[in-house]
Amino acid sequence: MPTPQSLPDNEQILAAVVRAWSGALNVGKIQPTDNFFSLGGNSLIALRTANQLSGELGVQLSIRALFEHSDLQDYVREIERMVKQQEHSRGEDAR
């Protein structure tokens, strides 16, 4: 798990999302093209999952991101984009 000063790398993000989806949706194996909602997700589960991942990864995630990027690989890419954006913001704040 990343510390508050460090942001997660791509492998940590993927592993965290797979764990979160697997647990929330009671699905054993998740494929890169699996869709959160096709696997049984709904808005309440999406909210809980986004909150869980925000805490675990130390990145502010919105439920909207999961609705707009509901395939695993797309959602992970979106989180990676958010992490890079937060890294950039942190770098500017340090100046």
Side-chain angles (χ1 to χ4, degrees):
M1 181 184 304
T3 65
Q5 287 75 30
S6 71
L7 291 171
D9 63 27
N10 297 353
E11 288 182 25
Q12 290 173 316
I13 294 169
L14 177 60
V17 173
V18 168
R19 269 193 315 276
W21 284 25
S22 182
L25 302 171
N26 295 314
V27 175
K29 185 165 173 115
I30 308 233
Q31 300 296 320
T33 57
D34 282 344
N35 181 286
F36 181 82
F37 299 102
S38 295
L39 293 174
N42 58 43
S43 59
L44 183 58
I45 296 170
L47 180 61
R48 280 191 242 152
T49 302
N51 286 336
Q52 174 188 344
L53 287 168
S54 289
E56 184 174 341
L57 297 173
V59 177
Q60 187 62 28
L61 301 176
S62 70
I63 188 173
R64 182 178 184 171
L66 185 48
F67 276 93
E68 292 177 353
H69 307 276
S70 54
D71 289 350
L72 176 65
Q73 61 191 1
D74 294 338
Y75 189 53
V76 168
R77 271 192 230 118
E78 177 62 10
I79 295 172
E80 290 169 352
R81 186 194 65 74
M82 291 176 179
V83 166
K84 287 180 181 152
Q85 184 176 8
Q86 286 191 19
E87 284 176 337
H88 181 72
S89 294
R90 285 182 182 183
E92 288 182 358
D93 290 346
R95 291 179 196 174

